[in-house]
Amino acid sequence: MLTLTQRSDMKARLKNNNLGLFLSAGILIFFILAALFAGYIAPHDPEKANLELRLKEPCREYPFGTDHLGRCILSRIIFGARVSLLVGLLVVSSSFVLGLAIGTLSGYYGGWLDEIVMRVVDAFLAFPSLLLALGIAGLFGAGFMNLVIALITVDWAGYARLARGSVLTVKEQDYIKAAKGLGAGDMHVILRHVIPNIISPLIVMATIGMGYVILSAAGLSFLGFGVQPPTPEWGSMLSEGKTYIRSVPYIMIFPGIAIMLTVMAFNYLGDELRDLLDPREKKDID
C-alpha cells in the first residue's frame, strides 16, 4: 500500500512530467475511442472491395488512399485498432491473472511446488518468445483465438517470475508474520496482504506488455499465423501491402505508423508508471 509520503511524491512527479504522460495517454485514448466507435467514424466499409478504386492515392474521400482491392485504408486502420487492442487486452489480462496466481502460490508456499513451477517458467523463458508463439500458432493454425492462445502461452511466465520474486520479499515482512500469528489463513494472507503489496510492478509490466503483445500479434499476422483477411488487422495490412512497397508505399506506411504510435505510447506510459509506483526508482524532483 502507498504511504502518504509516496502519494505526495506521485502527485509531484505527475505535475513535473505531465507532458509526456498526457501525450502517451492521449494517443491511447484516441485509438481506444476509434476502436469503440469504429462503426460510426470509419468513412467506408473496411471489407468492401472495389477494384475500380484499387491503389487510389490519398484524397479527400480516401484520406489514406485505397489498397490493392480498392478498400479504404483509413477505415481498415480504424477497425484494425479494435482487433489489435482486443488481442492485447485479452492476452495481457489473461497472462496477468495466470502469472499472478501461479507466481504468488509458488513463492508463498515454496518447497517442491516452487521448484516445479520455476523449472517450467525457466523452460518457457529459455525460448525466444516470438519464435515460440510462432510455433504454437503454427501448431493450432491461424485465427483470432489461436493467436490469443499462442501469445498467452508465452506471456504468462514473465508475470509468474516477477510475482514469485516479489512474494519472496513480502512474505518475510513483519505484518505478514503478525497476520499469521493472529490466526489468519493462507488465502486470507495472500489476498489481503500479499497481493496488494506486489501488484504495482505487475501493473507496470502489464502496461509495457500491451505494446509488446500488439507488436507480436502484428508480427504473427504479417507472417500469416494471426488474424486472417479480410478482417482488418494492422499486421495483416502490412503483409498485404508488402508487394507494393516500392510503387505504393502508403499501403504499409499508415498501418506501420499506427503500430508504432500505439507501442510507443504503451511503453512510455509503462515507464512513467514504474517511476510513479516504485520508490526504488525514485528520481529527483525539482
Side-chain angles (χ1 to χ4, degrees):
M1 302 296 289
L2 295 175
T3 64
L4 182 61
T5 302
Q6 290 172 330
R7 292 175 184 173
S8 300
D9 188 40
M10 287 178 63
K11 292 179 180 179
R13 293 187 197 184
L14 280 173
K15 184 178 180 179
N16 289 348
N17 301 290
N18 55 5
L19 179 60
L21 183 62
F22 291 159
L23 180 61
S24 60
I27 292 173
L28 295 178
I29 291 173
F30 172 80
F31 280 109
I32 291 172
L33 291 177
L36 290 175
F37 300 102
Y40 298 98
I41 64 177
H44 300 280
D45 185 342
E47 299 183 11
K48 184 178 181 180
N50 187 347
L51 295 180
E52 295 181 358
L53 298 174
R54 66 187 305 270
L55 304 180
K56 187 177 181 64
E57 294 183 355
C59 59
R60 179 175 296 182
E61 185 177 1
Y62 298 95
F64 289 178
T66 62
D67 63 10
H68 62 296
L69 295 177
R71 299 172 297 191
C72 176
I73 294 177
L74 175 59
S75 299
R76 290 182 64 77
I77 288 176
I78 293 173
F79 274 89
R82 176 179 293 179
V83 177
S84 296
L85 291 175
L86 182 58
V87 170
L89 180 62
L90 289 175
V91 172
V92 170
S93 59
S94 300
S95 300
F96 183 96
V97 173
L98 183 61
L100 174 62
I102 294 175
T104 299
L105 294 175
S106 175
Y108 185 83
Y109 288 107
W112 62 268
L113 175 63
D114 187 42
E115 286 294 325
I116 293 175
V117 170
M118 284 302 101
R119 297 298 76 77
V120 173
V121 168
D122 289 341
F124 276 94
L125 295 178
F127 291 93
S129 56
L130 188 57
L131 291 180
L132 182 57
L134 181 62
I136 296 172
L139 180 64
F140 289 113
F144 178 85
M145 284 309 303
N146 289 340
L147 173 65
V148 170
I149 293 173
L151 291 174
I152 292 174
T153 303
V154 302
D155 202 42
W156 70 272
Y159 294 94
R161 176 175 286 280
L162 180 59
R164 182 252 188 186
S166 300
V167 170
L168 290 179
T169 301
V170 168
K171 75 175 186 178
E172 300 300 328
Q173 299 297 318
D174 291 338
Y175 59 87
I176 299 294
K177 297 177 180 178
K180 291 182 178 179
L182 292 174
D186 288 340
M187 284 299 102
H188 177 85
V189 172
I190 290 173
L191 295 176
R192 294 293 300 274
H193 301 289
V194 174
I195 290 180
N197 286 284
I198 68 169
I199 202 72
S200 294
L202 289 169
I203 292 175
V204 174
M205 185 176 183
T207 305
I208 298 176
M210 276 289 293
Y212 166 78
V213 169
I214 290 173
L215 189 60
S216 299
L220 291 176
S221 294
F222 180 86
L223 296 173
F225 292 96
V227 179
Q228 297 298 294
T231 302
E233 195 275 337
W234 294 339
S236 62
M237 291 178 67
L238 290 175
S239 179
E240 291 174 344
K242 65 180 183 294
T243 305
Y244 307 93
I245 183 61
R246 294 183 180 275
S247 59
V248 194
Y250 57 80
I251 295 182
M252 295 189 70
I253 289 175
F254 291 123
I257 290 175
I259 295 172
M260 180 189 70
L261 289 176
T262 307
V263 173
M264 288 180 59
F266 274 117
N267 286 346
Y268 190 86
L269 185 62
D271 288 339
E272 289 297 317
L273 286 177
R274 179 185 59 199
D275 294 339
L276 291 171
L277 296 175
D278 190 350
R280 292 171 297 182
E281 298 289 337
K282 186 175 182 179
K283 297 180 179 178
D284 293 333
I285 301 176
D286 296 332

